[in-house]
Amino acid sequence: MAACTATASAATLLLSNPNSKPYISPKSISIPSSFSGLRNPLVSHAPASLSSRSPNSRRRSFAVRASELPLVGNPAPGFEAEAVFDQEFINVKLSEYTGKKYVILFFYPLDFTFVCPTEITAFSDRYEEFQKLNTEILGVSIDSVFSHLAWVQTDRKSGGLGDLKYPLVSDVTKSISKLYGVLIPDQGIALRGLFIIDKEGVIQHSTINNLAIGRSVDETLRTLQALQYVQENPDEVCPAGWKPGEKTMKPDPKLSKDYFAAPTNTIREA
């Protein structure tokens, strides 16, 4: 799978002098013909039988522990990788945020493509809103740090990113994409996966879009706010489309009727 590649001489120069910050021209970039905006369909597998579940196995706790898959409810797979931030090469370690911050971890297919810069810059433009919620943002693709640097150094009007307010992580080995279940093996790139990781390092939300479908910063922010609310108020849950200041619900057969009976509560049409 072709991606942005630096010349061998340039790569050697950078590796021998890690403090240098050359501009790597993206002239060698090409978009593979297989990058059609859709992944190839795979054979689906029937879900495991639920008959073996005990009727008393339901948990009241918000922090549900999934057994294997999906990742939601389980600790986020740890990783350490190179990244580009403020036009410098840095090292990013997910565990450094545990106990300190929430993390928005999102994957995108390739640098120098089409939908990707709209998402990446949208998150950067609203970074302060996430910062107020004690949340860090990390973008990840299978491109090298050299490609990330070249893209950041390219003006937005030319399809570049310009300066970003959060790091872009390099997953050239594709190991991080595999850990989070978003890698398309036959294309060697990641689907548009997004994960919200809480301060304890547990994945509390995930969404995965196909390649042609961009994600919503508004919805990510709303979901993060709902997550933080229910963690601070464990005896309440957030109904569909909940936003800060709106009425919540008690997870109880009787007490939940207060929500449904409220005159201001209406069921939103699909």
Side-chain angles (χ1 to χ4, degrees):
M1 199 74 182
C4 177
T5 57
T7 62
S9 59
T12 302
L13 175 62
L14 281 171
L15 290 173
S16 62
N17 184 6
N19 295 321
S20 61
K21 305 174 188 176
Y23 173 84
I24 306 299
S25 172
K27 291 182 179 180
S28 62
I29 295 166
S30 61
I31 305 301
S33 58
S34 60
F35 190 79
S36 60
L38 293 174
R39 68 172 296 183
N40 293 329
L42 301 177
V43 178
S44 61
H45 298 280
S49 173
L50 302 179
S51 60
S52 60
R53 291 186 178 180
S54 168
N56 297 321
S57 63
R58 291 185 301 172
R59 297 187 181 185
R60 297 292 296 252
S61 171
F62 173 73
V64 176
R65 286 294 204 183
S67 58
E68 293 182 3
L69 292 177
L71 291 174
V72 170
N74 282 312
F79 63 84
E80 183 175 0
E82 277 193 295
V84 170
F85 177 63
D86 196 23
Q87 300 199 25
E88 293 185 358
F89 298 149
I90 66 170
N91 191 65
V92 169
K93 192 173 183 180
L94 185 63
S95 61
E96 291 180 350
Y97 301 102
T98 304
K100 301 175 183 177
K101 288 189 175 185
Y102 289 78
V103 175
I104 302 295
L105 177 69
F106 74 92
F107 295 80
Y108 64 93
L110 285 170
D111 290 352
F112 294 96
T113 49
F114 316 111
V115 176
C116 298
T118 67
E119 295 183 312
I120 296 169
T121 56
F123 275 106
S124 182
D125 291 343
R126 298 181 65 182
Y127 179 79
E128 284 76 13
E129 295 179 60
F130 289 95
Q131 195 172 39
K132 290 178 181 178
L133 295 171
N134 192 31
T135 301
E136 185 55 75
I137 301 174
L138 298 174
V140 184
S141 81
I142 53 87
D143 301 278
S144 71
V145 288
F146 307 110
S147 178
H148 286 342
L149 178 62
W151 208 15
V152 169
Q153 291 178 333
T154 302
D155 188 82
R156 290 189 182 187
K157 294 181 179 179
S158 301
L161 302 177
D163 288 331
L164 295 178
K165 297 178 181 178
Y166 59 86
L168 287 185
V169 178
S170 171
D171 183 26
V172 289
T173 65
K174 304 180 177 64
S175 59
I176 306 175
S177 301
K178 288 179 182 177
L179 283 173
Y180 283 82
V182 296
L183 182 68
I184 309 175
D186 58 343
Q187 296 185 42
I189 57 177
L191 291 164
R192 298 187 189 281
L194 184 146
F195 302 85
I196 299 181
I197 305 169
D198 69 15
K199 287 197 299 181
E200 303 308 314
V202 176
I203 296 176
Q204 298 291 0
H205 167 82
S206 72
T207 181
I208 302 176
N209 289 3
N210 216 332
L211 302 178
I213 308 166
R215 288 156 289 195
S216 168
V217 177
D218 284 332
E219 178 58 17
T220 302
L221 187 64
R222 188 201 70 80
T223 305
L224 173 64
Q225 291 169 326
L227 162 61
Q228 293 186 350
Y229 183 89
V230 295
Q231 287 193 329
E232 293 170 0
N233 301 273
D235 61 336
E236 300 177 45
V237 293
C238 293
W242 178 91
K243 293 181 180 179
E246 295 182 351
K247 189 175 180 61
T248 57
M249 182 188 298
K250 297 288 185 178
D252 179 88
K254 293 182 178 180
L255 296 178
S256 62
K257 293 180 180 179
D258 292 339
Y259 172 83
F260 293 112
T264 57
N265 177 51
T266 56
I267 299 177
R268 302 183 182 188
E269 295 183 358

